[in-house]
C-alpha cells in the first residue's frame, strides 16, 4: 500500500524523526574508552589542584560539543573530567563525568523520587550534576538543568 502522506508531509516527518534521532544520540554518554583517552591526555598536563578548562587536542575534540573539557584536580590528586556532549539553553547540558579514582559515596546524594546528584566540592560545575546512569564508580552519564 502506498504511503498516504504527501511528499511534503513525508519530508517533514523525516526531518522530525531525524532531529529526534540526533537528539537521542547526543544523550549517549561518552564511552569509557573515549573518557580514558581524554584522561590520559589530561594526566600528561600535570595540572595543579583546582578547576581547569582546557581545549581538547584535535583527535579528542569530538568528545565534547564545544571541544573543551572541564577538569577538577582534588587536593588528593584525583582528577575528574566533565565532557559536555550536548549544550542547550541557559548552559544546560548532557555529558559525562569521569574520574581516575572512585567518586566517594559522600559525593553522591541519593534523592527520593528524583535522580541522584553528584557533588564534588571545589568547583561549581562539579557541584550539581544529576545522574542519568552510572557506569561503575568512576563514570557517570550526567546532566545539568537550570530549568
Amino acid at each position: 500500500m502506498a504511503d498516504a502522506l504527501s511528499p511534503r508531509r513525508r519530508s517533514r516527518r523525516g526531518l522530525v524523526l531525524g532531529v529526534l534521532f540526533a537528539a537521542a544520540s547526543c544523550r549517549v554518554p561518552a564511552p569509557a574508552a573515549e573518557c580514558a583517552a581524554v584522561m590520559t591526555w589530561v594526566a600528561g598536563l600535570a595540572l595543579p589542584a583546582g578547576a581547569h578548562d582546557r581545549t581538547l587536542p584535535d583527535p579528542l575534540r569530538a568528545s565534547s560539543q564545544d571541544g573543551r573539557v572541564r577538569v577538577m584536580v582534588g587536593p588528593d590528586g584525583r582528577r575528574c573530567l566533565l565532557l559536555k556532549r550536548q549544550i542547550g539553553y541557559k548552559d544546560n547540558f548532557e555529558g559525562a563525568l569521569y574520574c581516575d579514582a572512585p567518586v566517594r559515596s559522600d559525593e553522591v546524594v541519593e534523592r527520593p523520587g528524583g535522580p541522584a546528584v553528584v557533588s564534588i566540592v571545589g568547583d561549581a560545575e562539579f557541584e550539581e550534576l544529576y545522574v542519568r546512569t552510572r557506569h561503575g564508580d568512576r563514570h557517570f552519564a550526567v546532566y545539568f538543568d537550570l530549568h
Side-chain angles (χ1 to χ4, degrees):
M1 180 174 172
D3 191 342
L5 296 176
S6 70
R8 182 176 179 185
R9 289 196 64 199
R10 267 195 309 264
S11 175
R12 188 177 314 150
R13 183 177 66 176
L15 176 63
V16 168
L17 291 174
V19 167
L20 290 174
F21 177 76
S25 66
C26 287
R27 293 181 96 152
V28 174
E34 191 173 335
C35 290
V38 174
M39 183 63 78
T40 298
W41 175 75
V42 165
L45 299 176
L47 299 170
H52 309 275
D53 199 23
R54 293 290 185 261
T55 300
L56 293 164
D58 287 339
L60 300 172
R61 193 146 303 154
S63 298
S64 72
Q65 182 179 334
D66 61 359
R68 301 184 66 75
V69 61
R70 185 75 175 173
V71 182
M72 179 66 183
V73 181
D76 60 354
R78 178 183 65 170
R79 293 179 204 87
C80 291
L81 310 175
L82 181 59
L83 295 167
K84 296 178 181 179
R85 304 285 281 179
Q86 182 180 13
I87 303 169
Y89 183 64
K90 297 182 186 176
D91 293 324
N92 293 339
F93 62 84
E94 296 276 342
L97 171 68
Y98 187 83
C99 299
D100 63 0
V103 172
R104 297 187 319 260
S105 60
D106 65 318
E107 295 173 322
V108 180
V109 179
E110 299 292 340
R111 299 178 330 146
V117 176
V118 174
S119 183
I120 300 173
V121 177
D123 182 46
E125 293 236 27
F126 287 89
E127 291 182 1
E128 191 177 355
L129 298 172
Y130 296 92
V131 177
R132 284 228 185 268
T133 53
R134 290 181 187 211
H135 303 282
D137 59 1
R138 299 171 189 223
H139 185 200
F140 299 79
V142 296
Y143 67 98
F144 175 77
D145 188 358
L146 193 55
H147 302 287

